[in-house]
Amino acid sequence: KIGNQTWMAENLAYKPSSGNYWAYGNDNTNVSKYGYLYDWNTAIKVCPTGWHLPSDSEWTVLEDYLGGREVAGTKMKSSSGWIHNGNGTNESGFNAFPGGCHHYFGEFQSVGSHGSWWSSSEKSASDACRRGLSGNKGDVNNYCVSKALGYSIRCIKD
């Protein structure tokens, strides 16, 4: 529980019966630490009953509760697991791990240095928004990108 919201305390590691999802590096031993990476069309369907993929505005509520986008990242990051002095304080309990991403051309990137999580908010038919934490930065970034990319998921309670 962070403020008035209840978030899952780790990345979703649910293996759906259909859709696009990947263990980082196609190595299933990474799932227990980082969860799966999902494309957006799969991400919007896989949160368990009673939970949902957070909207862009729900992410903003979390960031604002933690002091604003400029400082929230440090409070969300796990206190270990980030390379290049990128660990956070995890004072929020969000415990964000740097699970990297999967590109639509098949390449995996950035495990250990970056973490990105889908929102349910769409920018267009081909793009959706996500939140990200990077390396030794303390902010939360927000970009809208191709729905075909593979990112982590944190579900929020209905």
Side-chain angles (χ1 to χ4, degrees):
K1 187 160 174 66
I2 305 171
N4 293 324
Q5 298 174 315
T6 301
W7 292 81
M8 287 190 168
E10 56 188 34
N11 295 344
L12 193 66
Y14 172 70
K15 188 175 184 178
S17 58
S18 64
N20 295 310
Y21 60 94
W22 306 267
Y24 188 89
N26 294 317
D27 180 352
N28 286 329
T29 63
N30 284 322
V31 175
S32 63
K33 184 173 186 176
Y34 301 115
Y36 283 108
L37 302 170
Y38 302 87
D39 74 355
W40 186 83
N41 288 311
T42 305
I44 60 171
K45 302 176 202 170
V46 296
C47 288
T49 302
W51 298 80
H52 63 275
L53 192 65
S55 67
D56 200 54
S57 61
E58 287 172 312
W59 280 106
T60 299
V61 168
L62 172 65
E63 294 162 357
D64 289 348
Y65 181 80
L66 296 176
R69 184 172 290 168
E70 297 78 23
V71 298
T74 298
K75 297 174 183 180
M76 293 167 63
K77 285 182 183 180
S78 59
S79 58
S80 64
W82 291 78
I83 60 174
H84 307 303
N85 297 315
N87 293 331
T89 64
N90 194 32
E91 74 181 72
S92 67
F94 192 85
N95 204 32
F97 276 98
C101 66
H102 180 267
H103 286 278
Y104 41 79
F105 49 83
E107 182 179 327
F108 293 93
Q109 291 183 332
S110 305
V111 75
S113 63
H114 293 86
S116 295
W117 294 266
W118 282 117
S119 84
S120 62
S121 301
E122 294 179 88
K123 180 181 179 186
S124 67
S126 60
D127 293 342
C129 300
R130 60 96 177 134
R131 288 305 201 278
L133 302 174
S134 299
N136 59 2
K137 296 179 182 178
D139 66 330
V140 179
N141 57 62
N142 181 12
Y143 296 107
C144 297
V145 296
S146 170
K147 293 177 181 179
L149 297 172
Y151 290 129
S152 299
I153 297 176
R154 287 294 176 102
C155 302
I156 188 170
K157 199 165 183 78
D158 292 349

